[in-house]
Every structure is written in C-alpha cells, then in structure tokens.
Amino acid sequence: MGFRNIIGRRLGLGLVRRRKPFSTATCDGDGNGNAKSINLYSAINQALHIALETDNRAFVFGEDVSFGGVFRCTTGLADRFGKARVFNTPLCEQGIVGFGIGLAAMGNRAIAEIQFADYIYPAFDQIVNEAAKFRYRSGNQFNCGGLTIRAPYGAVGHGGHYHSQSPEAFFCHVPGIKVVIPRSPRQAKGLLLSCIRDPNPVVFFEPKWLYRLAVEEVPEHDYMLPLSEAEVIRQGSDITLVGWGAQLSVMEQACNEAEKDGISCELIDLKTLLPWDKETVEASVRKTGRVLISHEAPVTGGFGAEISASIVERCFLRLEAPVARVCGLDTPFPLVFEPFYMPTKNKILDAIKATVNY
Amino acid sequence: MAFYSKNPRNIINNLKSKVGLWSLMKQSHGTCSYSSCLNTIHLHRFLPLTTLPQFTNPDSISHKKGHFPHFQRFQSTTTEKQIDSVPNGEQSQVLDFPGGKVVFSPEMRFLSESPSVYSQCYRVLDDNGQLISHSNFVPVSEEVAVKMYSNMVTLQTLDTIFYEAQRQGRISFYVTSIGEEAINIASAAALTSDDIVFPQYREPGVLLWRGFTLQEFANQCFGNKADYGKGRQMPIHYGSNKLNYFTVASTIATQIPHAVGAAYSLKMDKKDACAVTYFGDGGTSEGDFHAAMNFAAVTESPVIFICRNNGWAISTPTSDQFRSDGIAVRGQAYGVRSIRVDGNDALAMYSAVHSARHMAVNEHRPILIEAVTYRVGHHSTSDDSTKYRPANEIEWWRMARDPVTRFRKWIEINGWWGSEAESQLRSSIRSQDLSRVHGSGITKLGKQVLNFCCFPRGHSRLATIKGASTL
C-alpha cells in the first residue's frame, strides 16, 4: 500500500464522514436543549468558558493561552474573563505547574495548559512529588485538588519525536493524581468539566489528532461525565478491546472489519486511566474470554501492561488466549516511519484474529 | 570623575553612549547594590541630581543613609532629554525592539561576571548588640522584642531537646536551626498571621512564633496519633493550616513556585497579606527557584523570598554552589527588588522583612531577601559536619556570632531585659510542658536535657556530636 494511501486512510477515515457520532452508546448531557456539531478544540473551549463563568476563582494559564492557544482551545477566554484570570506564563513548565499548585492550594481552580504533552517532563517533579502528595503529606490539612493540567498528546501525522508523544503511563504510576483521556468532543467537554471540578489534581490529555478532525454533536449547556467509569461503546461477545483517546477510532475500524469475518468485538473506552474502572473491563472479559489492549505509546511499560496484569490476576481461568497488546513500537516516535510505528487498524485486526483463533 | 575609557579623546563619545545606556535602565525605585552599579554605570556622577529617588514606601530604609555610599537608580527625565538631544551620529543609535529601546554602542563591552566589591549587607546591631550609628530600622516595641528573644531561646531549647531525643533513639531524625534563630523569629515577627508561609525545613521558629506548641512539634516528630500529618512523614515535616504554614516537604525549592501561585491568589482576593517562602543557599540552584522568581516578577505577585544563605548545603560550601555574588544580586536578573541582610541581626531581619512585606502587599511586587548567616549545627542528625569543616570554625560561629546573645545584649541595653528575667525565662522553660510531653516518650529525657540546655552556652557540644555520629 502506498505511503500516501496509508496517510490518506488514516486522515480520512471515518471521523468526518461518519454516519453516526462516535459516542452514542451512553451519553449524559444530551437530550436537553441545543446541541451543535463542533470539533474537539471547540468542545474544550466551551468547557473552559463554562468553567470560568461558573466559578470566579477559576484561572486558565500557560504558554500562549492568551491569544487563544496554539490549538485555539483557549480562544475568547482572555477577552471575556480578563487578563488577570486568563494569562500567558513564561516558557517554563515547572513554573506553570508549581504556580498552579500554589494557586490551587489557596482554593482556586487552576487550569494549567502544557503546550504539548511532550514538554510535560520539566513539570514531572512538581506533579509527582508535589501535586500528587500535597494532600496526603499534610494529613489533609492542605490540598491542591483544584489543579487541572491539560496537554495535547498523541500522534498527529507529522509530529515526530516531540509533538506526538503519549506519556500517560508515567503518570498512571503515581497515586494521588488522576489521568483522564477523552475520545471525542462530547466526551471531552463533559470529562474536562468533571476534571476541573474534581477535588484531586488531574492530568487531562487531549488527543491533538482529533482537535479538528473529530466533529460531533455537543450539547451547549454545562454537563459533566463521571470519572473512573469506563464505557462499553460497542457490544460484542468474542473479544474485548480496551483503549482510550484517538486510538479508539482505529480500533473501531478494526472491529468493523473483524465483524465481516464473523468476529463480534466489544470495545471499551477507559476514559479515566487512573484510577481505572477494573470492574467494567473484568465483566466484559468474563463475557468474552479474550482481551486486546491498544495504545499509541510504546508497548514496553505502557499502560496496557497494567491492564493486562490486572486482568490476568482477576480473570486467569476465564481467559481463552493471552492478553494481546497492539501498541507503538519501542522507539522514539519517528517522523517518516510513523505509519510503521503506529498501532494501525491492520495490526489490530491481525491481533484480533490471532487471539480469537488462539 | 572616573569612568573607563582608554582613549581620552573618546570621552565625549563614551559619555553619549553611556548616557544612552543609563536611560535604558528600567526605571525602578530602590537601591541598586553598589557593586552592580559599578559594573556598568559610572555616568551617574555626571547626572544632575535634580530628580530625587522616588519611593512609595515610607518605611523603606533602602534609601536612607547607611554607612555605605549608595548609588541609586531613579526615574530621570533628564536622561531622557539627553538621549533625545544626542545627535544621531554614527556613534549612537536608538532603535525600538520588542521590550523597549535599545541603544547601540560601537564599543564592545561585556558586563563583568562579578563585581569588584561584594554586595553591601544591611545590619543594624554590631556583634555586641550595640546599635550602629546612623542606622535605620523599623522600631520594635519592648513587648515584641522580649517576645522575640524568648522565642529565640525557646527555639534553641527545643532544638537541643529534640536533637538529644534523636541521639537517644526516641525519634528517627531531626534538623536543628542553630545559628538561624534570628532569621526564624525576626522574620516571623515582622509578618502577620495572615501571611502564608511556604517553608523549606529549617524554619520551625516561624511556627513557634505563631503558636505551635511544643507538644505539637513532638507529635509530628514522634508520628503519634495526634500528629496533624497523620504519621506520614519523617520528623520535622511540620504543617499547620490554622497557622498558615504549609507542610514541610523534603524536596528542595519545590515550595518556591507554590508561594508565587498563592501570592497571586492573595492579590486576586485583595487580601492584606503576602506569601513568604524560605529556602537555603543550595535551594537557589534548583530550577524551581529561577522559575518562581521569574513568574513572581511577571505576575506581579506579593511574595517574599527569604534565602537563608548559611554557607552550606549539607557538605557543599557556597563556593561549590554558585559563583554569583550571593543571592541578592539575582533579583535584578529577574526584575525582583532585593536586599542582603545580616541574618544574625534580629533587628535588621525584622526591619527588612517588615519593609519587604509592605512593598509586596502595597505594590504587588515580589521581594528577595538574602539573609547571610552560618549553619552552626549539622545539616541533620544524619550528618557530622566536622568531616567537612573545621570544628573551631563551628565553635566560633556558635559562640562569637550567636544571634540570640547578640539580641539579648540589645534588649538589655534598652533596659528591657536583665539577668533576673533571664533566669526566670530559663526556669519557666525548664518547668514547662517539656516534662509533660506525654505519649511522646520524651518524659524521662526531659529533666536531664533541660538541665543541660538551660545553662548559658559555655561549653562545647562537639564531644556529644562526635560520640553520637558513629551510628
């Protein structure tokens, strides 16, 4: 298959010309009033507008957020809420998160933006050693629960090493924070509002691939989606697929193709990676007896490993096949070789078949 | 009329370019340290002193005469005019860049990496507790001064007791603040109880001042049921939300950007309060320090950065820590007003923090205070500092430069203290709840240690330290 075809398929596939919105299975927050067809960055933008208008102690800050942000997620906020609440910070992630912790510790809602998840590492110490332990180490005298860190993550087709990373696994190893990843615009708005209002520091990774490409009906009002509840977005009986974020659309395509071969796939969106909904996944595996996990991050030490180990612990005798993981390769994220690096639909399809025929 | 010019024929040209440079300097109030001015600005001597320094803070002592010559930057419209009147010859050009006007000079000049003179240090009491003539300070009432002194003595006592408790295996770990009592207590005294404190770990005196009891200190050190931290952290990791003192964490300098965020919140809430954060000379090498200073300046947050420059970061002397002229000069690099203070002079510390607070709260600006002092104790109970510094150096600082004794002399000179008051204080500490710190395992220890520590400091404790270091 030609290189362009691969890219074309990746880009063009389904998201814009889908016949139905991605997340119809269960969705709170629809049915009342207006819903508009908007993309992911607009949904995030709406959530931020609502967050700031419903809480006058909410702040949005980060690099370049004032003019609207490099992905336009913060458009209009500075004009509407003023420069004291929506402001640019110096180019310093450790400062952004450290400042955010201090702001949150005083009871504010500090919504910090890290421009790309690839650049979150300077803030890793503040997130792991400070934010995650702030409440615990003080015996609950203090907390920084009002802190939410947003960062675009994941492949974008041309991002290379430093505009494509999926660092969620590093953060899933840290008790004291939550890690949330939405799959679509409607999910993103509800989940982000939940994260902002959750009394724990949260890292919210937004699939940058979907900022423009994913379009969905999103209710205009204020609504929240529950954290730590996985969603079965496609019912099936032969194999359980678990994923999050942009990868779900690829997995869904694989499920569609597998169906032509008579394999009935159940697809689960974890939504919250930490703490993750083990019960929903376990219940599904008990039904199907097979599980496949897929994520863009490199396979070794990726979050799929945690899911696999937990499922094996819980469902060992029920499993009909080893847990399959279809993930990124163990290399830095390449540029021209991205199509080979990525856990593509065909890789997933192959793994589905291998698992079912084990 | 000294200025650097190798070629006397270029005096006028030099003057023009330097005048240009002069006007470039951000117009700011406050003293620039002698040394930093010396580096690049000599032309101030040419400027007519028609414009007086503008200080919005009446309490500011920075502009008042001390016993060092002051070179000050001030808003000078004269300079601006001079710039305009300089003909646009090939010798000087003014262009706009983002951030302001830049004046060019054909003379290539590097800013020196170090000043020829060490930054001046603000001090008000000499080593004998006598007020230095022509000194300026914020007056302290008798009541406050006596309370400061009592707290300093209590802090010393507390440190001795818990240090001994660790040596006896009753608690696992302890960190003393010996030699830094003035920094602890005087800074706390100059703040209000609404000011939010983000400590490092060598500032229990701030908690003490605010009313944390010996029992509460003991609870945390023993990690017992009554510990507010619920036994989760090592000893000395105190925290108290009711006293606005954020919980200590072992991580170095991570609290500094927190203080900036908290200060920003106070500003937004229009509170009459500031955030204060403490750290050591070692902490200023961490990225979080630089990040925080920069953020504080850009966000115009009312935060006071107090650096306890005590000469050592465990075994690392400051010569291995940085090559800048201490910490105060770094303020300028970030656009933060700063001062260097004698950290063992309680009165100077009080004045500096008091003034800093006023500026921070009323002008919404960060202030950096470098308190120079000496870490008399070891880094912690896991350290034996005689391994990397001479024992006689430690002893000298302990005895000759003791901030507590120095302040005592001053209050005695004022007639606010005497030997009778001293013995009363010592005996009241002796009979205090120290011996009634129940459930902490310290009871039996109490009397023995109390007798030991309640005598004036007349003997060396090195024998004890050395003996205990072989764990």
Side-chain angles (χ1 to χ4, degrees):
Chain A
M1 208 173 296
F3 180 70
R4 282 186 107 197
N5 280 344
I6 295 171
I7 297 293
R9 276 170 176 258
R10 181 105 215 233
L11 278 176
L13 263 168
L15 291 166
V16 176
R17 50 181 178 82
R18 288 183 67 77
R19 283 182 291 281
K20 58 180 181 182
F22 196 24
S23 60
T24 46
T26 55
C27 186
D28 304 323
D30 58 353
N32 318 353
N34 302 326
K36 270 205 187 136
S37 212
I38 57 171
N39 61 22
L40 183 69
Y41 79 72
S42 302
I44 303 272
N45 188 245
Q46 275 189 21
L48 293 175
H49 272 270
I50 290 171
L52 266 65
E53 101 198 358
T54 54
D55 184 351
N56 59 13
R57 300 195 71 188
F59 298 83
V60 171
F61 51 95
E63 296 155 24
D64 302 295
V65 301
S66 192
F67 88 103
V70 293
F71 290 109
R72 299 174 58 184
C73 294
T74 52
T75 312
L77 293 174
D79 286 339
R80 187 168 166 209
F81 299 102
K83 287 187 174 311
R85 291 180 67 195
V86 180
F87 50 93
N88 291 337
T89 61
L91 210 171
C92 178
E93 288 74 17
Q94 70 191 103
I96 290 170
V97 175
F99 177 90
I101 290 171
L103 202 54
M106 297 294 285
N108 303 294
R109 302 237 169 260
I111 307 165
E113 176 175 305
I114 299 293
Q115 197 156 84
F116 283 85
D118 313 56
Y119 313 141
I120 200 166
Y121 307 110
F124 197 70
D125 181 45
Q126 283 286 343
I127 295 170
V128 170
N129 271 335
E130 305 300 309
K133 297 168 172 62
F134 212 78
R135 186 192 295 273
Y136 184 84
R137 74 188 184 198
S138 73
N140 200 21
Q141 291 192 89
F142 300 104
N143 75 78
C144 62
L147 176 66
T148 304
I149 301 167
R150 299 174 36 245
Y153 90 100
V156 71
H158 53 274
H161 296 347
Y162 303 114
H163 298 83
S164 317
Q165 286 180 43
S166 299
E168 69 271 6
F170 297 113
F171 298 95
C172 290
H173 190 53
V174 185
I177 56 170
K178 293 191 175 181
V179 179
V180 177
I181 305 184
R183 69 172 185 269
S184 75
R186 179 164 26 188
Q187 292 292 311
K189 179 174 170 180
L191 287 172
L192 180 56
L193 281 167
S194 291
C195 292
I196 290 168
R197 293 161 176 167
D198 188 276
N200 293 290
V202 182
V203 181
F204 186 78
F205 286 118
E206 302 164 358
K208 66 174 82 67
W209 181 272
L210 302 182
Y211 272 147
R212 289 172 198 273
L213 287 183
V215 178
E216 193 178 26
E217 296 271 303
V218 178
E220 291 191 311
H221 61 265
D222 182 352
Y223 66 94
M224 290 164 58
L225 294 174
L227 300 184
S228 293
E229 282 187 24
E231 185 182 339
V232 179
I233 60 177
R234 182 196 181 97
Q235 298 274 354
S237 54
D238 294 331
I239 181 171
T240 301
L241 277 73
V242 184
W244 51 87
Q247 189 62 10
L248 283 166
S249 70
V250 180
M251 295 164 86
E252 176 128 15
Q253 291 151 35
C255 292
N256 288 338
E257 296 231 358
E259 195 156 24
K260 295 175 195 160
D261 288 334
I263 302 174
S264 163
C265 301
E266 179 144 298
L267 183 57
I268 299 180
D269 176 10
L270 266 194
K271 304 209 289 194
T272 302
L273 270 61
L274 184 74
W276 65 284
D277 183 357
K278 295 180 186 174
E279 283 72 29
T280 299
V281 179
E282 183 184 344
S284 174
V285 175
R286 291 209 172 277
K287 185 170 73 168
T288 65
R290 293 174 182 81
V291 62
L292 180 153
I293 306 152
S294 186
H295 55 69
E296 286 178 24
V299 62
T300 299
F303 195 60
E306 153 66 22
I307 300 171
S308 173
S310 285
I311 292 301
V312 168
E313 254 171 13
R314 292 168 167 242
C315 309
F316 181 72
L317 291 176
R318 176 65 188 93
L319 287 171
E320 305 286 340
V323 176
R325 289 184 295 166
V326 184
C327 304
L329 302 179
D330 285 329
T331 73
F333 200 107
L335 180 66
V336 298
F337 304 113
E338 176 170 329
F340 301 96
Y341 166 94
M342 291 291 281
T344 56
K345 178 203 73 172
N346 284 342
K347 288 185 189 177
I348 296 171
L349 194 52
D350 284 350
I352 291 173
K353 290 177 184 167
T355 306
V356 167
N357 296 327
Y358 186 76
Chain B
M1 301 224 305
F3 60 96
Y4 296 129
S5 175
K6 292 188 177 126
N7 186 347
R9 285 174 292 178
N10 282 339
I11 286 177
I12 300 299
N13 292 333
N14 243 323
L15 173 59
K16 282 182 197 168
S17 62
K18 280 172 188 159
V19 162
L21 270 172
W22 176 247
S23 77
L24 243 207
M25 296 296 172
K26 288 286 182 235
Q27 289 134 12
S28 74
H29 315 296
T31 310
C32 68
S33 73
Y34 179 91
S35 53
S36 65
C37 288
L38 209 55
N39 278 336
T40 54
I41 303 150
H42 313 276
L43 56 96
H44 59 268
R45 302 190 198 201
F46 297 100
L47 289 172
L49 294 175
T50 51
T51 324
L52 290 171
Q54 296 168 29
F55 296 92
T56 56
N57 173 19
D59 285 343
S60 166
I61 37 83
S62 57
H63 64 287
K64 295 183 184 157
K65 48 189 164 71
H67 47 290
F68 295 98
H70 286 257
F71 295 97
Q72 297 161 341
R73 288 204 218 107
F74 38 82
Q75 258 171 338
S76 168
T77 49
T78 321
T79 314
E80 295 281 290
K81 286 186 195 146
Q82 283 178 320
I83 255 283
D84 291 342
S85 70
V86 168
N88 263 353
E90 72 269 10
Q91 299 299 335
S92 64
Q93 278 180 293
V94 182
L95 281 182
D96 274 323
F97 272 97
K101 285 191 184 320
V102 177
V103 177
F104 298 103
S105 161
E107 187 187 328
M108 180 171 68
R109 264 190 104 129
F110 286 78
L111 295 174
S112 172
E113 75 282 1
S114 66
S116 48
V117 177
Y118 205 48
S119 303
Q120 69 184 46
C121 183
Y122 171 60
R123 140 202 275 224
V124 161
L125 298 178
D126 67 15
D127 281 334
N128 295 318
Q130 308 257 10
L131 213 50
I132 294 169
S133 60
H134 306 301
S135 58
N136 292 283
F137 60 95
V138 176
V140 172
S141 70
E142 173 179 351
E143 188 190 343
V144 172
V146 166
K147 184 180 174 192
M148 280 168 64
Y149 178 70
S150 308
N151 271 267
M152 287 200 275
V153 171
T154 308
L155 179 57
Q156 276 185 336
T157 311
L158 184 154
D159 268 353
T160 311
I161 289 187
F162 285 111
Y163 186 91
E164 291 304 313
Q166 194 278 339
R167 283 303 184 233
Q168 296 192 6
R170 297 172 193 269
I171 56 177
S172 60
F173 178 78
Y174 192 72
V175 166
T176 62
S177 311
I178 311 219
E180 301 181 42
E181 295 89 350
I183 294 177
N184 269 240
I185 302 298
S187 64
L191 299 169
T192 71
S193 55
D194 291 332
D195 297 324
I196 316 285
V197 176
F198 290 82
Q200 183 66 79
Y201 48 63
R202 221 180 282 281
E203 304 91 18
V206 179
L207 263 180
L208 188 66
W209 177 269
R210 289 183 171 193
F212 211 59
T213 65
L214 292 166
Q215 180 72 66
E216 288 169 314
F217 281 113
N219 290 339
Q220 198 285 325
C221 286
F222 283 85
N224 62 26
K225 209 170 68 167
D227 172 23
Y228 299 136
K230 302 184 181 172
R232 289 165 176 170
Q233 291 209 89
M234 288 167 67
I236 69 95
H237 290 65
Y238 317 111
S240 170
N241 54 1
K242 69 177 191 284
L243 299 179
N244 286 327
Y245 187 98
F246 271 76
T247 304
V248 172
S250 315
T251 44
I252 299 294
T254 50
Q255 73 280 6
I256 312 179
H258 302 170
V260 181
Y264 189 81
S265 175
L266 291 170
K267 179 172 88 161
M268 289 299 295
D269 289 342
K270 298 184 167 55
K271 291 263 161 75
D272 177 15
C274 65
V276 184
T277 180
Y278 297 82
F279 45 91
D281 39 288
T284 66
S285 296
E286 279 284 357
D288 279 337
F289 165 76
H290 302 273
M293 288 280 284
N294 197 32
F295 268 68
V298 169
T299 57
E300 297 175 3
S301 296
V303 53
I304 304 176
F305 300 103
I306 300 181
C307 174
R308 296 175 292 95
N309 183 352
N310 63 20
W312 298 92
I314 309 189
S315 70
T316 307
T318 49
S319 56
D320 288 346
Q321 195 66 249
F322 44 72
R323 289 300 163 89
S324 56
D325 172 17
I327 313 302
V329 290
R330 300 184 191 187
Q332 206 171 78
Y334 294 107
V336 174
R337 190 174 293 172
S338 61
I339 187 168
R340 165 177 281 169
V341 184
D342 178 351
N344 289 2
D345 179 347
L347 205 50
M349 274 303 301
Y350 181 90
S351 300
V353 175
H354 190 274
S355 308
R357 186 188 178 281
H358 188 93
M359 289 187 273
V361 174
N362 297 323
E363 296 171 38
H364 295 145
R365 62 166 64 249
I367 307 283
L368 169 64
I369 296 177
E370 176 189 1
V372 282
T373 180
Y374 187 87
R375 192 197 74 207
V376 173
H378 305 304
H379 166 69
S380 72
T381 48
S382 306
D383 178 47
D384 171 13
S385 60
T386 58
K387 286 189 157 42
Y388 48 80
R389 57 184 187 175
N392 55 5
E393 172 187 305
I394 306 172
E395 267 318 283
W396 183 75
W397 277 92
R398 181 195 303 279
M399 306 305 298
R401 304 291 291 269
D402 179 24
V404 186
T405 321
R406 189 165 158 198
F407 193 63
R408 176 186 164 177
K409 287 176 181 164
W410 184 68
I411 57 174
E412 282 177 344
I413 287 166
N414 283 355
W416 297 338
W417 199 253
S419 50
E420 200 185 303
E422 180 75 17
S423 56
Q424 269 180 0
L425 173 67
R426 300 278 174 180
S427 67
S428 94
I429 290 178
R430 194 180 299 145
S431 65
Q432 222 183 35
D433 356 20
L434 279 170
S435 60
R436 291 190 285 118
V437 176
H438 290 303
S440 318
I442 206 172
T443 317
K444 288 173 194 166
L445 172 65
K447 284 188 177 153
Q448 174 193 352
V449 176
L450 284 164
N451 282 331
F452 168 79
C453 71
C454 288
F455 284 117
R457 298 191 159 275
H459 65 284
S460 166
R461 295 193 55 247
L462 283 175
T464 320
I465 294 165
K466 274 189 179 145
S469 68
T470 53
L471 281 167

